[in-house]
Amino acid sequence: FAEGIRKKVDARVNKHLYKSEDVVTNRFTVFPSDPPLVLCRCWESKKFPLCDGAHRAHNERNKDNIGPAIISASNK
Ligand code: FES
C-alpha cells in the first residue's frame, strides 16, 4: 500500500467467529481444475471463510468497499 492510504484501525474486525481460538487461520490447496476460491474479508459471511455476499450489506451499512479475495490456480 502507498503511504497515506493505509490507516490504523483500532476497531475489532472479527465480532463473532471462532472466538475461542487465539488466531483464526484457514489453509486451502488449490488445484488447476478447481473453481476459484472466493474468501470472505469482511468477517460477516455465514459460510466463513467463504464469501456469501454479506459484504454488500456491510458496505451499505458502513459506507465501506470491502470485497472477497478470489484465489485460483490459473487465470479463469
Ligand atoms: Fe465477506 Fe463477501 S461475505 S467478503
Side-chain angles (χ1 to χ4, degrees), residues 4-5 15 17-18 23 27 30 36 38-39 48 58 61 72 76:
I5 293 176
K15 295 180 175 71
L17 296 171
Y18 309 107
V23 176
R27 181 184 301 268
V30 179
V38 184
L39 300 176
F48 191 89
H58 165 88
R61 259 192 334 274
S72 59
K76 293 182 183 176

Side-chain angles (χ1 to χ4, degrees), residues 26 28 37-42 49-51 67-71:
N26 302 101
F28 300 93
L37 267 174
V38 184
L39 300 176
C40 176
R41 294 193 296 181
C42 74
L50 301 177
C51 171
I70 301 173
I71 300 173

Side-chain angles (χ1 to χ4, degrees), residues 39-45 51-55 66-68:
L39 300 176
C40 176
R41 294 193 296 181
C42 74
W43 290 83
E44 297 194 15
S45 172
C51 171
D52 71 352
H55 58 270
I66 292 174

Side-chain angles (χ1 to χ4, degrees), residues 55-69:
H55 58 270
R56 293 186 195 100
H58 165 88
N59 289 341
E60 185 81 17
R61 259 192 334 274
N62 298 292
K63 307 292 181 236
D64 210 344
N65 63 351
I66 292 174

